[in-house]
Amino acid sequence: MSMTFGGSGSGQGSQLGQGGGSAARRRGSPGWYALGGFGLLLAFALCYYGATNAAVAAGLAGTHGTLTVSVCQTHPGGAHSGPSRDCDAVFRPDGDRAGAQRRGEDDGGRGTRANIASWTLRPGEVIEVRQGTGEYLRPGHSSPWGFLAFAFSGLLVASVMLPVTVLGTGPGLMRREVRSPLTEARGTLTGRFSKWLAISGSSGLALDILLALVVQ
């Protein structure tokens, strides 16, 4: 009787051990949770930067005004970057300039210091711009396609980082089974949402590149 009980206990212990191993495999690591959360923040930043500046470049958002160029500098670049040229300028929103004109004031001393990259601008030149998230974009000169690429890339980053954030696991913890967080999340709500993000990001990026080549 004791032998039968012992054998039964051994079988139960084996089954519990398998279950415990599965549970341990699913248990997340604080490091992976943190990495996943950081990845989602990066994805959000890419989407926000790309979408908002694409809207500004298309003339659908942003603060319209003028830039008065004061001085321009050319930088030779380094081993990993080519030469560049940027100009210091003063940005004056339309509302501020119109208000000063109604009051009979000179708005020449007002404005916000700005910087814009350009190979063609000259000191003293005044150009129309729209102010975005840290960018001053010229209507008709700035294409929204490059900014949209940032937004769709953010969706792709989110599709990978969402399962890592939810499960707290990464490929390094599942190397024996050759499984990734995307495989772990398959069939769950997280997996379906990640799949949707991946399809949206890849399809949008492909269409964005095509339009950038076709529409000039």
Side-chain angles (χ1 to χ4, degrees), residues 205-216:
L205 189 58
L207 180 61
D208 179 62
I209 294 174
L210 178 62
L211 290 175
L213 295 175
V214 174
V215 181
Q216 299 293 337

Side-chain angles (χ1 to χ4, degrees), residues 66-94:
T66 59
L67 275 183
T68 303
V69 182
S70 56
V71 62
C72 297
Q73 296 179 338
T74 301
H75 308 282
H80 303 287
S81 61
S84 62
R85 182 175 183 269
D86 61 78
C87 300
D88 292 329
V90 175
F91 174 70
R92 298 183 180 88
D94 287 344

Side-chain angles (χ1 to χ4, degrees), residues 5 20 30 36 47 49 53 68 73 78 87 103 110 115 125-127 165 167 169 174 187 195 197 203:
F5 180 78
C47 291
Y49 172 82
N53 281 297
T68 303
Q73 296 179 338
C87 300
R103 295 189 299 270
R110 293 182 174 86
N115 185 275
E125 190 172 353
V126 180
I127 60 172
T165 306
L167 300 175
T169 54
M174 292 172 281
K195 183 179 180 180
L197 288 173
S203 301

Side-chain angles (χ1 to χ4, degrees), residues 16 41 54 63 67 79 122 185 213:
L16 289 173
L41 289 177
T63 302
L67 275 183
R122 296 290 180 266
L213 295 175

